[in-house]
Each structure stands twice: as C-alpha cells, then as structure tokens.
Amino acid sequence: MDHREAGRYWNDNAEGWTQLSRAGHDTFRDWVNTPAFLELLPDVSGKHGLDIGCGEGHNTRILSECCAHVTALDYSEVFIRHARAHEVTEARGISHVHGNALELPFPENTFDFATAFMSLMEFPETEEALAEAYRVIKPGGFLQFSITHPCFNTTTRKNIRDEAGQVTAVQYGDYFAAANGEIETWTFSTATEEVRGDIPLFQVPDFRKTLSEWVNILVSVGFQIQAMREPYPTDAALAAHPSLQAGRIAPFFIHFRAGKP
Ligand SMILES: C[S@@+](CC[C@H](N)C(=O)[O-])C[C@H]1O[C@@H](n2cnc3c(N)ncnc32)[C@H](O)[C@@H]1O
C-alpha cells in the first residue's frame, strides 16, 4: 500500500474522527500527547509554522496561539473542510491547504518551523516526507513531530493487569515485523457503541519502522536531532481519565525535534 491508498482510508475515517475527537474522545491526544508536545516546543512567537497532517485542526489551533502564523496541510479533503469551517466560525488566521506531505506545495526555505502531530507514521514513504519537510524549513529551523512509539506500540502489545484491573506490565512482540498497510480496526476507548451511534469504527492502515530506522532516516535527510520525549499521563490526566493508566507503564508515543542546520 502506498500513501495514496492510505490517504483514502484517512479520508473515510475523517468524518467520524472529527465528530468523536471534537466531542473529547481522543483522550490520549488531549491529555497526554499534545500537552507534552507543546512543552517540548521551543519559543515560536513571531514565527511562521507549517502543520503537516493537521486533521480537523485541533492542534493547529492551539499552535496558532504560540506563533505568528500557521499554514496547515492535510491529504484528506474531509479533514481540511472541517478545519476550514472552524476557521470561518472562529478565525485564527490559519491558512489551510489540501495537499500531500510527500509533495509539499511550497518553495524551499519557506517556514521557520514545521510540526507533524501523529501523521508521519501514516504512510510508508517516510524518507520522502521528511526530505520534503527539510526542504521547506529555513536553515536554523526545525521539525517537531510525534508518532506511535515504535518499541512499545507493536501490533501484539497486550496489557497485563492485576486483580484490581490496573495495568502492571505490558507484553510486546513482533518489533521487527514489517507492516505494509495491514488494516487495524478500532475507535477511541471512550467512544462506546452508544456514543458512536452510526459512526463506523476507524480503519487505519498500519506501517512500521523500528526506532533506529526513524533515527537513521532523520540523519540521512540532513536533520540534527535536538530533543526527544516519551510522554506519559500526569496525575491530573489519570484522575480525569483512569483509562489512560496503561500509558504510565510504557509509552504509546514518542516525540522528536530535529533541526535543519
Ligand atoms: C492520526 S491523524 C492526526 C491528525 C492531527 N494531526 C491530530 O493530531 O489530531 C493522521 C493525519 O495524517 C493525515 N495524512 C495521512 N497521509 C497524509 C499525507 N500523505 N499527507 C498529508 N497528510 C496525511 C491524515 O489525513 C490525518 O489527518
């Protein structure tokens, strides 16, 4: 499977994903991933950023409060339509572009920085996308992105629970198993059947790279790794959403910040 077919799955997921995430069901994004990502972000005030794979735009809108201007791009027409509609009702000066991370429609050295929240692992052509991000960032700028953790989020991840139902350990396997778009069918953990109604389960193509493959691609493209982070739920997040507890035992996500010299 290539990025075009994977992108079609994302476009099909977009309507339901937008509804459920806007209703607060993307708890790992809202309570774990995005807060940690923003803590890792350097001062970007006065800067022009690009958000690659923006989805319905929740994280772009938060980002727009930290910097001068954000351009947001996504492959899915449905997601971009929802992101634009939000901008119409609540303008933040965000420019939305329907486009492809592998062929960014911008000249080289356009942006002071770029972000990609949980999007760069959604297609197999990682090297092309990272090279494109590198091309459009100005020298001295950076790319910061989050992905599912290659080590701890394998297809066979299984939570081991104690008698009280608390996760005490996690079992993994298949770290080196290649994945070429096998479809994973799931929804957000709090989106019960009653909540979902007619919204179908998501169908998400799975692509995998090991941690060393991610690092080696970043380096081969020319990036210099500046920082990494493995976010976990804080006490406040756990109090609000006890179901996040497995994220305290082993991380679901990893964040990288990489600079263009
Ligand atoms: C897990 S969602 C994350 C959305 C958003 N960044 C967030 O954190 O809520 C992955 C996003 O990557 C987008 N995507 C997938 N392939 C893409 C591509 N080739 N170019 C740009 N965006 C892509 C999907 O359409 C989807 O919006």
Side-chain angles (χ1 to χ4, degrees):
M1 185 185 293
D2 69 0
H3 70 279
R4 292 180 191 84
E5 194 177 347
R8 285 195 283 276
Y9 277 93
W10 274 105
N11 200 46
D12 290 345
N13 290 329
E15 196 63 57
W17 188 285
T18 301
Q19 281 186 48
L20 293 174
S21 65
R22 287 187 179 175
H25 292 287
D26 196 348
T27 47
F28 264 106
R29 179 192 72 182
D30 296 344
W31 287 86
V32 182
N33 228 351
T34 299
F37 191 102
L38 295 171
E39 279 177 22
L40 191 69
L41 197 69
D43 180 8
V44 288
S45 46
K47 307 238 182 247
H48 184 188
L50 170 67
D51 188 22
I52 303 168
C54 63
E56 54 78 34
H58 171 90
N59 287 329
T60 321
R61 290 189 285 280
I62 296 178
L63 196 61
S64 72
E65 289 165 15
C66 315
C67 62
H69 185 63
V70 196
T71 300
L73 172 140
D74 202 280
Y75 195 79
S76 157
E77 285 179 79
V78 176
F79 269 138
I80 283 292
R81 176 163 46 77
H82 281 296
R84 277 196 185 122
H86 200 291
E87 177 69 18
V88 170
T89 53
E90 217 178 282
R92 289 158 193 262
I94 300 168
S95 313
H96 292 99
V97 178
H98 178 222
N100 183 358
L102 279 74
E103 297 168 60
L104 293 173
F106 312 107
E108 64 184 52
N109 303 338
T110 300
F111 300 97
D112 298 307
F113 72 99
T115 52
F117 296 83
M118 301 297 288
S119 56
L120 295 179
M121 77 288 182
E122 303 298 359
F123 43 79
E125 302 95 332
T126 315
E127 187 153 6
E128 287 93 320
L130 287 175
E132 274 294 85
Y134 187 90
R135 182 181 66 76
V136 302
I137 296 168
K138 293 176 186 167
F142 67 88
L143 166 69
Q144 185 169 310
F145 66 96
S146 52
I147 52 172
T148 46
H149 202 302
C151 305
F152 302 112
N153 209 14
T154 66
T155 43
T156 54
R157 176 174 175 139
K158 188 173 155 200
N159 293 332
I160 313 292
R161 295 178 186 273
D162 64 14
E163 285 164 6
Q166 290 290 292
V167 177
T168 54
V170 187
Q171 177 183 304
Y172 308 98
D174 275 351
Y175 178 59
F176 296 104
N180 185 30
E182 284 78 1
I183 302 301
E184 294 190 327
T185 303
W186 56 276
T187 190
F188 300 126
S189 60
T190 56
T192 57
E193 275 187 32
E194 196 182 353
V195 165
R196 279 195 295 115
D198 293 339
I199 298 174
L201 296 172
F202 306 132
Q203 294 214 295
V204 180
D206 183 30
F207 302 100
R208 287 184 178 275
K209 289 193 162 49
T210 62
L211 184 58
S212 54
E213 284 173 324
W214 277 98
V215 170
N216 289 335
I217 293 172
L218 278 169
V219 171
S220 72
V221 162
F223 279 116
Q224 294 178 344
I225 294 174
Q226 297 176 340
M228 291 168 64
R229 181 155 185 182
E230 292 159 299
Y232 59 86
T234 60
D235 291 346
L238 281 185
H241 291 282
S243 64
L244 300 175
Q245 188 254 334
R248 271 286 259 268
I249 304 302
F252 282 100
F253 313 104
I254 189 165
H255 300 175
F256 288 91
R257 173 156 42 83
K260 175 171 173 175

